Amino acid sequence: MCRPEPPQAVIFDLDGTLVQTREASWRVFEKVSTAHRLGIATPEQFYEMFANNFFVSLRGLCRDAEHARVVEEDFMRSLGADYAPLMIPGMVDVVKALVPHATLAVLSSNSTEVIRRILRKNTLEYCFGHVFGGDVEPDKAKGIQRFLGDAAQGSGRRCQAFYDESAAGGAVPAGATAIITDTVGDVEAAVKAGIRAIGVAWGMHTEEQLLAAGAEFVAIWPQEILAHLFSNTAEASACACPAPQTVAPPLSQTPPATVPPRVQRRVAGAKALQARITSHQPAAAQAHSTSVSGSGGAPVNGTEFGADNELLLAVRLAMP
């Protein structure tokens, strides 16, 4: 069975996927839990809150809607002030490698202020065309639907402030969209929305948990994300619908635009040299030069014209 084509849009989770979040986020939440008596006393209890939507889990710990509102505001404010995680090594390169191929977005339970600070610190802010923070859309399932429903979703950025106006634009189909995440809740939301889910093994949940939730693949190293998303070309011969084989035309039939400029300059220079030498040779020598084969390096008729002609042939043979 053929693997899916490389995605046209990729959604990144932030915490645990792009940045190292386990200790940094727990240190922030521990103070909030103590202040509001939420009963979460260990890192493991905190990590389990991400098995479903984090904010749904958080509200389940609160007495009522008003208490939930106060706790959420305190947590988001604490994140904005104290949360400063490091990037996962290698993920900056992964993001930048995807920029030419897909519209990129961030979908996170964290606040937009924190997302902005982290992306700017790592010079990634203009690589993403869309950002959905927890203060914009707390429900990640709804965040995915908002992204899929954006009529101009296909027009992203190429690590520059302006949007890519040369892109086709329009909404990207769900099947051509992938999410990269470390949590079971995100994977389940992706499966429900009909988009692809790729897990990462270095975040909140284990490889086994992510696969059981429906992830098509779980990366152990950041570079595996690219290898997985773009590996369909390597297995084209095993597909039922392989790409048609093409045969390169002879060099003499190759359009000039396809010949590298460096080679064009070398050939033109060799031809110009031949023309200058030919114009100064006797007619007999010129006639004889046309029958010179590409072998040997001895002078022809006591001249070096044969060697010059061989230079031209050698340049032509060197062309790719």
Side-chain angles (χ1 to χ4, degrees):
M1 183 176 179
C2 297
R3 289 198 182 206
E5 290 294 316
Q8 300 173 39
V10 177
I11 303 171
F12 281 90
D13 175 46
L14 180 76
D15 304 299
T17 301
L18 287 175
V19 299
Q20 304 175 47
T21 191
R22 294 174 70 89
E23 290 299 322
S25 59
W26 164 242
R27 284 195 294 269
V28 172
F29 187 80
E30 183 180 20
K31 297 176 183 178
V32 174
S33 178
T34 300
H36 296 278
R37 300 181 181 180
L38 299 179
I40 303 298
T42 67
E44 290 69 30
Q45 289 176 311
F46 173 62
Y47 302 151
E48 278 304 310
M49 294 176 65
F50 291 85
N52 298 305
N53 179 274
F54 173 78
F55 285 99
V56 172
S57 300
L58 182 60
R59 289 164 193 158
L61 300 173
C62 300
R63 296 187 301 271
D64 50 40
E66 177 59 21
H67 185 212
R69 183 189 66 78
V70 172
V71 171
E72 286 182 21
E73 288 182 355
D74 191 14
F75 181 51
M76 299 301 282
R77 183 168 52 251
S78 298
L79 285 173
D82 303 325
Y83 186 63
L86 298 174
M87 289 287 294
I88 298 293
M91 287 304 287
V92 169
D93 289 339
V94 170
V95 169
K96 291 186 175 180
L98 283 171
V99 165
H101 305 286
T103 299
L104 304 186
V106 171
L107 179 63
S108 173
S109 298
N110 223 313
S111 69
T112 304
E113 175 189 4
V114 171
I115 299 170
R116 176 189 175 96
R117 185 174 68 239
I118 291 172
L119 296 184
R120 296 205 75 163
K121 180 180 179 181
N122 293 281
T123 65
L124 292 175
E125 69 271 30
Y126 294 134
C127 296
F128 293 92
H130 307 262
V131 167
F132 295 94
D135 50 347
V136 174
E137 181 51 75
D139 188 331
K140 285 196 172 182
K142 292 181 180 178
I144 292 173
Q145 292 301 330
R146 287 178 63 172
F147 178 71
L148 293 175
D150 189 335
Q153 172 218 118
S155 180
R157 280 170 159 164
R158 292 182 178 268
C159 295
Q160 295 176 309
F162 54 83
Y163 282 79
D164 184 10
E165 297 181 9
S166 66
V172 176
T177 302
I179 189 169
I180 316 295
T181 183
D182 68 313
T183 67
V184 166
D186 288 359
V187 171
E188 291 176 343
V191 171
K192 185 176 180 180
I195 70 173
R196 300 171 62 185
I198 291 87
V200 298
W202 52 81
M204 288 289 183
H205 295 137
T206 66
E207 180 178 1
E208 293 73 20
Q209 290 173 313
L210 294 168
L211 290 172
E216 66 180 56
F217 176 76
V218 177
I220 299 175
W221 310 285
Q223 294 76 14
E224 276 196 301
I225 296 171
L226 299 175
H228 175 75
L229 292 178
F230 294 94
S231 64
N232 65 317
T233 53
E235 296 188 6
S237 60
C239 294
C241 46
Q245 297 294 322
T246 58
V247 179
L251 182 61
S252 60
Q253 300 178 16
T254 303
T258 65
V259 180
R262 175 182 59 82
V263 176
Q264 293 185 44
R265 290 193 297 270
R266 290 175 62 188
V267 173
K271 287 182 177 179
L273 175 61
Q274 183 187 35
R276 288 197 301 272
I277 295 174
T278 302
S279 65
H280 292 87
Q281 298 301 319
Q286 294 183 30
H288 182 69
S289 69
T290 59
S291 63
V292 175
S293 67
S295 62
V300 177
N301 290 340
T303 73
E304 295 181 358
F305 177 66
D308 293 323
N309 197 30
E310 288 178 4
L311 171 64
L312 174 60
L313 292 174
V315 170
R316 287 175 173 167
L317 289 173
M319 294 174 65

